[in-house]
Amino acid sequence: MTNYAIGLDYGTLSVRGVLIEATTGEVLASKTYEYPHGVIEKTLSNTDIKLPDYWCLQHTDDYMNGLKDVVKGLLEQATNQGIKSEDIESLGIGFTCCTVLPVDKDGIPLLKKEHLEKNPHAWVKLWKHHGAQAQADKINHIAKTRNEKWLPYYGGKISSEWLFPKLLQLLEEAPEIYKETAYFIEAGDWLVWQLTGNQKRSKSCAGYKAMYQESLGGYPSNEFFEAVHPNFKNVVEEKIASDMGELGTSAGTVTKEMAEILGLGEKVVVAINNIDAHVCVAATGVTKSNIMLNIIGTSSCDILLTSKNKVIPGIAGLVNQGVVEGLYGYETGQNAVGDIFSWFVETQVPESYVQKAKKEKISIYEYLEKRAENLEPGESGLIALDWWNGNRSTLMNANLTGLVMGMTLQTKPEEMYRALIEATAFGKRMIIENFEKNGIPVDYLVFCGGLPHKNKLLNQIYADVLKKKVAISKELETGAKSAAIFSILANQPNTTLNDVIHQMKLDSYAETYHPRSNDVDTYDQLYAIYSQLVTQFGKNQEMMLSLQSIKKNRRY
């Protein structure tokens, strides 16, 4: 009998799902659901309540309705191919992380409570919610003062995107909601709970986003949390469930109620939730040391595996078996990549370019790429800092902002567009150089996600700037397919990830880009200027932070 698996990839704007054949990995059905609420940044949905700067919220209805719509859509396509629902044996989820929400003891989101539905703190705080920077700064200061042993595993500084800064923000700014919160939980873990009836959290999520280091005893001590805030002392016992699961293991089977809602069998095994970026090692075949996997979409997440337990500065996390069994996994990344290009197109591109793109029957992005690829490196005289949404690596500061230098009255949109692509490549080079100067080599890179399949110019610029080979994954739905693969591991405990990759022939690539010698020298010169800007505006942060202070004081 042929068996099948479902994978769901919960991204920033949508959930994408696939149905795959469990032996060959062939994708037999796919479905996407766009979130009606989207990313809530300016005003709380259906209210006139304005949100502060750097807030990013979401609604759990988008996640649950997306689950129902996608799974039912996949089943309908499967039925048309003669596949029976009882032949679907497993389901896996990858979710943007750290995306967290407060719930009651039964798992009901507090935003669903009538008396709390208009309080923004009751809503889901998306991964790129940076409203908790002050709380992150406080946690970092106290951790450094106390010489906390876990801090070096996060490059010496944790991010405002993570669980405890967001939970501390809840305590400090909405103590009444903090008190009513039974659990503060990753959205992916919450979905697994809804599917199985079991609150079993991802050890990987805890490791990368909640300062959990198993070799050091787990979470930071109660004494540390008490030093952060007197009412934070017992935060782990009071707000964080202790039952965790390893990646590629079972969280349980689908409940009778959810099976009826979705049309699945009750024996469907649900895998432990995975981070949407980390999960991609499966479909890309990146399970060996010193190959950097880059998941490039709205932001960029970098995964680098190693056999070494070596803490270095400027990383976002180092967790043993946090990505692949038997290896340590480094995480770094950039807070914005595709988001920068989207901002540029939506706010800076003239209408004349939009009309020319329509006339040529291509997207505005394709039109800009077409014009930008005719430019030589350095020809525009522009250089940019890629901090439109702060800096994750290597500075870990969400308050840093973007910058473009060299504009004149002759500057064209395509020149700015290319400079922004180059800026994200320079940011990646700084991350890689940080690894290599600390004794962790990066042999080559593998790209997956939405952008590498759409933007060949980006791929080539990265190869030239990084001076390394760049391979492009052949999988279009990398996250969803990878989530399905991890569910197969959960359903077949004696099978390894490498077994599945070999069986499905996942370790080959669609395209490969190599550095072009003519461009490398110019990019070295531009990168030297970029590095000076990082020092001027990132390591000496007074100017940018002063601008933010003036902006805040004038607005509020």
Side-chain angles (χ1 to χ4, degrees):
M1 181 179 71
T2 305
N3 301 320
Y4 304 90
I6 288 175
L8 301 172
D9 176 19
Y10 278 83
T12 301
L13 299 172
S14 65
V15 52
R16 297 172 290 280
V18 298
L19 174 75
I20 69 169
E21 201 277 318
T23 301
T24 65
E26 182 182 1
V27 175
L28 301 171
S30 63
K31 184 78 165 65
T32 298
Y33 178 86
E34 304 286 340
Y35 301 149
H37 293 88
V39 178
I40 304 162
E41 298 177 279
K42 302 298 182 183
T43 305
L44 197 64
S45 298
N46 301 318
T47 75
D48 58 359
I49 299 171
K50 292 184 179 180
L51 299 176
D53 288 339
Y54 310 117
W55 275 57
C56 291
L57 306 180
Q58 289 198 312
H59 198 300
T60 51
D61 282 357
D62 291 350
Y63 306 151
M64 288 302 297
N65 291 335
L67 173 70
K68 297 170 189 175
D69 182 82
V70 170
V71 171
K72 288 180 179 178
L74 294 175
L75 289 177
E76 182 179 348
Q77 294 176 53
T79 299
N80 292 338
Q81 299 177 61
I83 299 170
K84 299 178 181 178
S85 62
E86 54 263 35
D87 294 332
I88 300 171
E89 294 193 349
S90 62
L91 183 151
I93 289 173
F95 210 105
T96 57
C97 185
C98 175
T99 297
V100 283
L101 66 149
V103 300
D104 70 10
K105 63 181 177 62
D106 298 315
I108 298 173
L110 296 193
L111 66 89
K112 302 288 283 185
K113 309 280 187 178
E114 186 175 354
H115 67 291
L116 295 177
E117 63 183 0
K118 293 185 178 181
N119 190 318
H121 276 293
W123 289 53
V124 180
K125 289 187 170 73
L126 184 61
W127 66 269
K128 64 177 181 175
H129 171 88
H130 289 158
Q133 185 61 50
Q135 288 75 22
D137 292 341
K138 185 176 183 179
I139 290 172
N140 285 322
H141 173 71
I142 292 171
K144 289 176 183 177
T145 301
R146 290 171 52 91
N147 293 316
E148 290 287 329
K149 293 182 179 179
W150 51 266
L151 192 59
Y153 284 86
Y154 304 101
K157 184 186 291 187
I158 72 161
S159 169
S160 62
E161 296 178 359
W162 294 4
L163 185 146
F164 284 110
K166 289 173 177 171
L167 185 50
L168 181 60
Q169 184 188 22
L170 189 65
L171 171 60
E172 292 183 340
E173 298 180 10
E176 73 284 0
I177 295 182
Y178 182 86
K179 184 177 180 180
E180 199 164 335
T181 299
Y183 299 106
F184 200 64
I185 187 169
E186 285 280 356
D189 292 339
W190 175 78
L191 265 179
V192 168
W193 185 4
Q194 304 314 296
L195 282 163
T196 65
N198 302 322
Q199 187 185 167
K200 200 163 186 179
R201 301 198 179 202
S202 165
K203 189 179 288 186
S204 177
C205 289
Y208 285 103
K209 309 300 177 181
M211 298 114 77
Y212 182 93
Q213 288 289 332
E214 198 163 38
S215 64
L216 300 178
Y219 292 108
S221 67
N222 288 14
E223 290 74 21
F224 166 74
F225 285 118
E226 184 178 25
V228 171
H229 192 291
N231 294 334
F232 224 39
K233 177 180 179 179
N234 299 312
V235 62
V236 173
E237 294 87 344
E238 293 175 352
K239 307 297 181 185
I240 311 294
S242 59
D243 194 10
M244 294 189 192
E246 301 280 359
L247 297 180
T249 64
S250 172
T253 55
V254 175
T255 65
K256 182 178 180 180
E257 179 184 6
M258 286 302 296
E260 291 175 353
I261 291 173
L262 299 175
L264 294 171
E266 291 179 53
K267 294 183 179 179
V268 172
V269 171
V270 179
I272 292 293
N273 167 49
N274 207 329
I275 300 174
D276 65 327
H278 299 49
V279 74
C280 293
V281 296
T284 58
V286 180
T287 58
K288 297 178 182 178
S289 295
N290 308 124
I291 303 169
M292 179 179 275
L293 175 63
N294 294 256
I295 304 89
I296 307 177
T298 57
S299 64
S300 171
C301 184
D302 316 321
I303 305 300
L304 184 63
L305 303 175
T306 176
S307 59
K308 302 177 181 179
N309 179 15
K310 185 175 183 179
V311 295
I312 64 174
I315 58 171
L318 172 63
V319 178
N320 185 24
Q321 302 191 126
V323 182
V324 171
E325 184 178 1
L327 292 172
Y328 289 87
Y330 288 101
E331 179 189 337
T332 58
Q334 294 159 280
N335 286 341
V337 179
D339 270 353
I340 301 177
F341 311 148
S342 296
W343 164 84
F344 180 72
V345 165
E346 291 167 8
T347 66
Q348 306 298 308
V349 175
E351 180 62 23
S352 61
Y353 275 53
V354 175
Q355 293 305 318
K356 288 176 182 177
K358 287 182 179 178
K359 188 174 181 180
E360 294 187 23
K361 297 181 179 180
I362 57 177
S363 73
I364 183 61
Y365 291 96
E366 291 172 304
Y367 183 76
L368 286 168
E369 180 184 353
K370 183 179 177 181
R371 294 179 70 94
E373 68 183 1
N374 292 323
L375 299 169
E376 296 292 331
E379 180 181 342
S380 68
L382 299 178
I383 195 162
L385 286 174
D386 52 316
W387 300 341
W388 261 247
N389 197 25
N391 179 282
R392 181 182 299 155
S393 305
T394 58
L395 301 175
M396 197 69 77
N397 191 328
N399 285 331
L400 295 174
T401 54
L403 180 148
V404 181
M405 188 173 76
M407 288 188 289
T408 71
L409 294 175
Q410 287 74 46
T411 298
K412 299 179 177 65
E414 59 267 29
E415 293 175 331
M416 292 182 66
Y417 183 66
R418 182 173 180 123
L420 293 174
I421 294 175
E422 291 170 344
T424 65
F426 293 143
K428 188 73 65 191
R429 177 165 166 176
M430 188 156 282
I431 290 169
I432 291 172
E433 287 188 352
N434 182 58
F435 275 116
E436 296 190 327
K437 76 180 182 182
N438 284 285
I440 307 295
V442 177
D443 296 337
Y444 65 92
L445 298 92
V446 175
F447 285 2
C448 68
L451 277 176
H453 289 283
K454 299 173 184 176
N455 197 322
K456 295 181 183 295
L457 175 62
L458 177 144
N459 300 333
Q460 186 60 61
I461 287 175
Y462 272 58
D464 295 337
V465 169
L466 303 177
K467 298 189 285 189
K468 293 182 183 294
K469 180 179 79 172
V470 170
I472 311 303
S473 169
K474 63 184 179 182
E475 298 294 337
L476 296 177
E477 293 290 357
T478 315
K481 183 168 181 176
S482 295
I485 290 170
F486 271 91
S487 80
I488 294 170
L489 299 179
N491 189 43
Q492 302 173 13
N494 295 324
T495 301
T496 69
L497 181 56
N498 282 324
D499 290 339
V500 175
I501 288 172
H502 178 73
Q503 183 172 277
M504 294 183 179
K505 300 178 181 178
L506 297 172
D507 49 358
S508 60
Y509 302 108
E511 294 179 289
T512 303
Y513 294 80
H514 296 275
R516 297 176 297 194
S517 57
N518 291 340
D519 293 343
V520 165
D521 290 343
T522 304
Y523 277 131
D524 281 344
Q525 296 174 54
L526 291 171
Y527 179 69
I529 299 171
Y530 175 91
S531 300
Q532 292 177 51
L533 291 175
V534 170
T535 299
Q536 181 68 32
F537 293 100
K539 296 180 180 177
N540 303 320
Q541 301 166 10
E542 289 81 4
M543 280 189 285
M544 283 192 173
L545 297 186
S546 293
L547 276 176
Q548 294 303 305
S549 178
I550 294 169
K551 176 183 177 181
K552 184 176 181 181
N553 290 337
R554 293 293 292 174
R555 179 167 294 185
Y556 302 111

